[in-house]
Amino acid sequence: MTTQIKDPSASRGNARGVVFVHSAPSALCPHIEWAVAGVLGVPVNFDWTAQPAQAGTYRAELFWSGAIGSAAAIASALKGWTHLRFEVTEDATSTSEGARYSFTPDLGVFHAVTGMHGDIMIPEDRLKAAVVKAALGDTTLELEVDKLLGKPWDDELETFRHAGEGAPVRWLHQVV
């Protein structure tokens, strides 16, 4: 009797999602493509356009398909680069929950598990920890729930999400 060893990635199934690069300096653009291609195992080409919310940066999005867990691998490959803002989503499948990763240079990485309709699903232990922190007076429950939902990341990325052609732009200025 022989035993067949299956490729573990083959049994994980396929997922799909989107990579949104909200702002990246031009020098990073090819490196982002190489990193995403390395995760997905196929060449990728982003359609880069100028990001009007931040001069000298570019934006793009890419619909992808790959192994379940690819969103995590893509976010891990991109998270170490400063001056980069991005989001990666992975749709839920019949065998896995979905995921959302957001990254900003100031806040770092936000991760949330998402359900089949894209809703953020917060684990019970994280909710209990938020209630305890609020009860101890370290913070408010509202602030902790906002963090669990990724509100600080949404607030920072909103300008970049909607800075497409014709959309109103709130310009960001560096104060020295």
Side-chain angles (χ1 to χ4, degrees):
M1 187 166 147
T2 60
T3 304
Q4 261 189 329
I5 299 174
K6 292 184 177 181
D7 176 9
S9 63
S11 64
R12 289 186 5 203
N14 285 325
R16 63 183 182 175
V18 184
V19 177
F20 300 96
V21 177
H22 294 298
S23 71
S26 61
L28 274 185
C29 294
H31 298 283
I32 293 167
E33 291 182 1
W34 296 331
V36 173
V39 170
L40 298 177
V42 296
V44 298
N45 292 303
F46 284 78
D47 185 18
W48 297 101
T49 59
Q51 171 54 275
Q54 186 176 33
T57 64
Y58 293 85
R59 61 185 290 156
E61 64 183 55
L62 175 79
F63 293 88
W64 61 268
S65 63
I68 292 172
S70 292
I74 292 168
S76 291
L78 300 179
K79 72 176 182 167
W81 295 334
T82 57
H83 310 296
L84 174 62
R85 289 175 181 83
F86 69 86
E87 292 180 275
V88 183
T89 64
E90 181 168 314
D91 296 340
T93 71
S94 62
T95 60
S96 67
E97 302 296 348
R100 174 181 157 215
Y101 296 86
S102 301
F103 178 84
T104 73
D106 292 336
L107 298 173
V109 175
F110 168 76
H111 168 250
V113 174
T114 58
M116 82 171 4
H117 300 292
D119 296 322
I120 290 177
M121 300 181 349
I122 302 170
E124 178 182 340
D125 60 334
R126 293 185 71 197
L127 281 172
K128 287 179 180 177
V131 169
V132 168
K133 271 180 101 173
L136 294 173
D138 296 340
T139 184
T140 66
L141 186 56
E142 180 181 9
L143 183 61
E144 288 305 302
V145 170
D146 283 349
K147 287 182 198 174
L148 292 172
L149 294 172
K151 186 176 182 321
W153 285 264
D154 286 340
D155 291 346
E156 188 169 328
L157 291 172
E158 198 62 24
T159 297
F160 295 92
R161 290 177 181 146
H162 296 289
E165 190 172 329
V169 176
R170 185 184 77 205
W171 294 101
L172 303 177
H173 299 282
Q174 183 175 6
V175 179
V176 182

